[in-house]
Amino acid sequence: MTDYSQSIVLIPTLNEVGNLQNLIPAIFKSMPDISVLVVDDNSNDGTEGYLNSIKTQYPNLFLLTRQKNLGYGNACIDGFKWVLGHDFKCVVTMDADFSHDYKAIPSLLDNLVDGDVVIGSRYVSGGKIENWKLHRRILSKVANFYVRLILQTNISDFTTGFNAYRKEAIQKINLNGIKSDGYAFLVEFKYKLSKSGAKIVEFPITFSERREGQSKMSGKIIWESIKLPWRLRF
Ligand SMILES: Nc1nc2c(ncn2[C@@H]2O[C@H](COP(=O)(O)OP(=O)(O)O)[C@@H](O)[C@H]2O)c(=O)[nH]1
Ligand SMILES: [Mg+2]
């Protein structure tokens, strides 16, 4: 059996208890020795109580609760800092809402053999999007086209949040220098990794519409992503 004891799954959450109740047991069932870090922004749906109640059952489950809602990007950064302070070699980021299939975690980690970063990509051959509303599909496609054009890189899915990283690749990035959030954060982080010399590979994933709860996507997040590539380039 593959050894996942040096890998950790980082899941930023805001009011996702209904999804976590299914996701956490499923992850540990398929990979009992992996670790999971949930970075929660003080959700008011009982997330903290639920996670604390299953802690004895899953000793490799960790919770980082922030007192304020500081956003998705900032939750990832705090999560990365936590991981860098512990003894893990690889980290996978994923959403809690089942848009990302936990069954693909082993493939993302396996592909770290060939790279420092593995992007779970919807836009390479074999990648797919299921049940997503047309406007979200168009937005995602246009956003990736726009970013690629301005930043002139060949990464095909900049805005996916399902990625695997080697610890050393993250260590090269000044995490405190990243101020963007949401999709802009995902773009900025990947861009900075590629500029730092990280070897980036893309692995096809199937993305599905969330199972429960609500998207936290907002106009502010989109606007930030429109401005960001220009700031990164110049
Ligand atoms: N900690 C934290 N997690 C967040 C925040 N906003 C979104 N998330 C989580 O990030 C993941 C993706 O967010 P989601 O709303 O599904 O975005 P979408 O997939 O683009 O619609 C989910 O697991 C959310 O719960 C936030 O402000 N703080
Ligand atoms: Mg989602």
Side-chain angles (χ1 to χ4, degrees):
M1 219 176 107
T2 318
D3 177 9
Y4 296 112
S5 62
Q6 296 192 307
S7 300
I8 184 157
V9 183
L10 194 173
I11 311 175
T13 59
L14 193 59
N15 297 325
E16 301 282 5
V17 73
N19 288 311
L20 288 174
Q21 281 165 345
N22 295 309
L23 182 64
I24 302 291
I27 291 176
F28 285 120
K29 190 169 180 213
S30 66
M31 293 157 282
D33 60 346
I34 205 162
S35 292
V36 174
L37 171 66
V38 176
V39 184
D40 185 66
D41 279 3
N42 209 5
S43 296
N44 56 19
D45 65 349
T47 295
E48 191 173 1
Y50 167 66
L51 293 175
N52 285 330
S53 76
I54 57 168
K55 180 70 192 134
T56 43
Q57 199 181 343
Y58 305 115
N60 301 344
L61 171 64
F62 304 95
L63 170 64
L64 190 60
T65 303
R66 289 129 45 94
Q67 288 318 310
K68 275 201 298 199
N69 177 6
L70 299 168
Y72 168 87
N74 192 268
C76 289
I77 289 172
D78 267 3
F80 287 142
K81 287 181 181 169
W82 188 98
V83 171
L84 294 182
H86 290 76
D87 234 3
F88 297 99
K89 289 201 169 132
C90 306
V91 47
V92 175
T93 55
M94 73 183 289
D95 295 354
D97 57 4
F98 283 88
S99 284
H100 300 148
D101 183 1
Y102 67 91
K103 293 194 199 87
I105 294 172
S107 306
L108 294 186
L109 287 171
D110 286 350
N111 279 274
L112 278 179
V113 174
D114 300 321
D116 304 306
V117 177
V118 178
I119 294 179
S121 178
R122 296 160 290 187
Y123 302 123
V124 289
S125 169
K128 275 199 245 43
I129 295 179
E130 282 175 351
N131 319 320
W132 225 19
K133 293 191 185 81
L134 185 65
H135 74 277
R136 292 294 307 259
R137 280 177 197 257
I138 295 171
L139 188 65
S140 174
K141 264 269 186 215
V142 171
N144 277 292
F145 176 75
Y146 172 82
V147 169
R148 224 176 26 246
L149 198 71
I150 300 168
L151 297 182
Q152 299 183 331
T153 76
N154 54 10
I155 293 174
S156 64
D157 197 345
F158 260 105
T159 56
T160 173
F162 199 14
N163 307 291
Y165 308 89
R166 286 188 173 282
K167 186 179 197 163
E168 302 82 58
I170 300 175
Q171 270 163 337
K172 288 188 189 148
I173 307 297
N174 172 17
L175 294 173
N176 293 327
I178 300 180
K179 303 286 178 225
S180 54
D181 195 17
Y183 293 114
F185 164 77
L186 290 164
V187 173
E188 181 167 359
F189 194 51
K190 291 187 186 78
Y191 185 69
K192 289 191 167 166
L193 284 161
S194 88
K195 284 284 161 198
S196 78
K199 187 176 174 212
I200 299 181
V201 296
E202 290 191 73
F203 180 82
I205 57 145
T206 298
F207 178 98
S208 324
E209 176 59 299
R210 63 163 50 243
R211 271 199 202 164
E212 287 196 34
Q214 267 167 14
S215 168
K216 287 95 199 171
M217 159 96 123
S218 67
K220 181 171 166 269
I221 287 176
I222 298 173
W223 178 233
E224 200 182 357
S225 329
I226 294 173
K227 292 184 294 183
L228 175 90
W230 298 102
R231 178 160 70 71
L232 290 179
R233 185 160 167 194
F234 301 110

